[in-house]
Amino acid sequence: MASLRLPAQLVTRGTLNHHNSSSSAAPSVSLSWRRSLTPDNSFPNLPSSSPLNRKPSTVVPVTCSAAAVNLAPGTPVRPTSILVVGATGTLGRQIVRRALDEGYDVRCLVRPRPAPADFLRDWGATVVNADLSKPETIPATLVGVHTVIDCATGRPEEPIKTVDWEGKVALIQCAKAMGIQKYVFYSIHNCDKHPEVPLMEIKYCTEKFLQESGLNHITIRLCGFMQGLIGQYAVPILEEKSVWGTDAPTRVAYMDTQDIARLTLIALRNEKVNGKLLTFAGPRAWTTQEVITLCERLAGQDANVTTVPVSVLRVTRQLTRFFQWTNDVADRLAFTEVLSSDTVFSVPMTETNSLLGVDQKDLVTLEKYLQDYFSNILKKLKDLKAQSKQSDIYF
């Protein structure tokens, strides 16, 4: 077993002034994203309430252990060799499938799990087990890899900081130490404008950490996934269950993850994109009520809508902050601040489409995506009903 110690220069030190530029009178909050991986993992320049200032439950070692690999110095790595982190997720699996279709050698980093990700192997990918919360498991997965595509995010039951901050910093450091040629990171649109939301704050800090790491990289900010609307609205409406909504005016330009995967791989091959910050958005921004109305029309039935006022979510967040064991719930409810700010999660794609050579008409609209879903599912339900009637005749 060989020991890989991250070079001292990778323990990056720096400060990031993270504040709302629209208010010139507001004092600048200096956010230190220094990563020492020592028992004292605090960020002294942040307010004590910041999610990045919470003490970790365990100490993350700076020394990573990996199996010895006999590679001669200067051994070339194929540009088609990529590692997809978070390969079993909504976006990750689409990246894997698209990359395989385009002839890439795809390696998938997944956590050890009782139910193995056999579908990735069936597609033709190689699966390796590692955990971003355990940095010592990362280096071995990077051997022979040219490009890392980072789609990972923490599970709902995990503290946001564990994977999305500590894990990502460890991954970036290891990628730099092992000579990864390109790193693709997915962030959230407008994350720089909402430091009060822990996950958005962490995404913005990770963007800056990656930028200062010296890695050749592409940062892609996303607005929302169309796929997430199926479980949230389409399925409950079909099953005549309650659909939860809010009275928020926030609008989101949802995008099909297959389009995101396609545009990502186009960007990967375009040298003009290196080092750039791109934002991917769907053709139109939608409010929650507009999405529900669209689903009702396509399903041919009314939804049982339970509307939760944003003010109630805000009070709930304040209450959960009183208890240590509900702090992570409070972090996720922090998105209520975004919902109440009349934010539009959308950007014009004209410049990005021109840079990537993409035609806007080739991007799937939400109407088309949901229409295809409801057409397919309603046809299957009709076929099942017909089969059931035939069985009644025979029996």
Side-chain angles (χ1 to χ4, degrees):
M1 183 74 70
S3 178
L4 171 65
R5 184 175 295 276
L6 299 180
Q9 62 267 31
L10 291 187
V11 185
T12 310
R13 298 176 183 271
T15 57
L16 165 66
N17 291 327
H18 191 178
H19 62 95
N20 191 339
S21 59
S22 63
S23 177
S24 58
S28 170
V29 177
S30 179
L31 173 60
S32 170
W33 45 269
R34 172 177 54 82
R35 176 63 173 176
S36 61
L37 294 177
T38 61
D40 181 9
N41 248 346
S42 61
F43 296 79
N45 295 324
L46 268 176
S48 59
S49 60
S50 171
L52 300 188
N53 242 339
R54 294 184 195 155
K55 298 290 184 180
S57 56
T58 58
V59 176
V60 184
V62 72
T63 302
C64 299
S65 297
V69 179
N70 295 320
L71 284 179
T75 300
V77 176
R78 294 187 304 275
T80 55
S81 174
I82 67 174
L83 174 71
V84 179
V85 185
T88 59
T90 303
L91 175 59
R93 62 182 62 199
Q94 297 297 342
I95 296 289
V96 171
R97 192 154 206 172
R98 183 77 191 193
L100 287 168
D101 289 345
E102 294 191 11
Y104 285 87
D105 300 318
V106 182
R107 185 183 303 177
C108 301
L109 187 157
V110 300
R111 300 194 206 193
R113 50 200 287 169
D118 288 336
F119 71 94
L120 296 173
R121 295 187 180 90
D122 292 341
W123 291 350
T126 301
V127 176
V128 292
N129 287 331
D131 191 335
L132 295 187
S133 66
K134 299 176 181 177
E136 68 275 9
T137 67
I138 298 174
T141 68
L142 298 172
V143 175
V145 169
H146 181 277
T147 299
V148 171
I149 301 181
D150 178 9
C151 312
T153 191
R155 294 168 178 163
E157 68 272 14
E158 294 177 317
I160 291 175
K161 183 179 174 184
T162 302
V163 170
D164 288 287
W165 175 246
E166 295 177 347
K168 295 304 181 76
V169 168
L171 178 60
I172 291 169
Q173 289 180 325
C174 286
K176 176 67 174 179
M178 299 193 66
I180 296 301
Q181 299 298 300
K182 190 172 292 188
Y183 192 106
V184 179
F185 174 65
Y186 292 102
S187 187
I188 302 174
H189 178 51
N190 282 335
C191 63
D192 53 323
K193 298 177 182 177
H194 294 280
E196 75 280 4
V197 180
L199 180 58
M200 298 182 80
E201 179 187 27
I202 286 173
K203 287 290 188 182
Y204 182 58
C205 292
T206 308
E207 287 181 6
K208 294 303 178 184
F209 190 89
L210 177 60
Q211 183 180 352
E212 296 299 323
S213 71
L215 278 169
N216 187 13
H217 68 281
I218 303 171
T219 298
I220 301 173
R221 290 184 179 179
L222 303 174
C223 297
F225 300 156
M226 292 182 183
Q227 279 73 5
L229 301 176
I230 299 301
Q232 194 170 2
Y233 302 115
V235 172
I237 288 174
L238 288 172
E239 295 181 347
E240 300 181 355
K241 295 181 179 179
S242 292
V243 174
W244 295 89
T246 71
D247 56 358
T250 304
R251 307 178 75 86
V252 180
Y254 299 100
M255 195 169 183
D256 187 348
T257 53
Q258 292 187 21
D259 281 338
I260 296 173
R262 180 169 63 89
L263 267 60
T264 296
L265 291 170
I266 291 174
L268 203 61
R269 295 187 294 269
N270 189 336
E271 293 300 320
K272 295 180 181 178
V273 179
N274 291 341
K276 287 189 177 295
L277 170 63
L278 305 178
T279 300
F280 291 171
R284 175 191 163 185
W286 298 74
T287 65
T288 297
Q289 187 54 54
E290 287 173 339
V291 173
I292 293 174
T293 301
L294 176 61
C295 289
E296 287 178 320
R297 177 168 61 82
L298 295 173
Q301 60 191 69
D302 294 335
N304 180 17
V305 182
T306 301
T307 301
V308 182
V310 172
S311 57
V312 173
L313 294 176
R314 187 182 291 113
V315 170
T316 304
R317 185 200 176 200
Q318 295 302 321
L319 291 174
T320 55
R321 294 196 71 84
F322 284 114
F323 307 99
Q324 181 66 35
W325 55 276
T326 55
N327 263 332
D328 296 318
V329 176
D331 285 349
R332 297 183 189 281
L333 284 173
F335 273 102
T336 57
E337 303 300 327
V338 180
L339 293 176
S340 61
S341 63
D342 199 13
T343 301
V344 177
F345 282 85
S346 180
V347 292
M349 286 284 287
T350 307
E351 185 177 343
T352 300
N353 288 339
S354 176
L355 180 63
L356 300 180
V358 174
D359 192 330
Q360 179 72 19
K361 293 183 294 185
D362 294 334
L363 300 180
V364 175
T365 64
L366 183 60
E367 296 98 323
K368 179 67 166 61
Y369 177 81
L370 289 176
Q371 184 177 28
D372 288 347
Y373 171 79
F374 279 106
S375 296
N376 290 333
I377 200 72
L378 291 175
K379 182 179 183 302
K380 289 179 181 178
L381 290 174
K382 184 177 180 180
D383 291 343
L384 287 173
K385 188 175 181 180
Q387 290 176 8
S388 176
K389 287 184 177 180
Q390 289 179 353
S391 298
D392 291 342
I393 293 174
Y394 290 123
F395 292 98

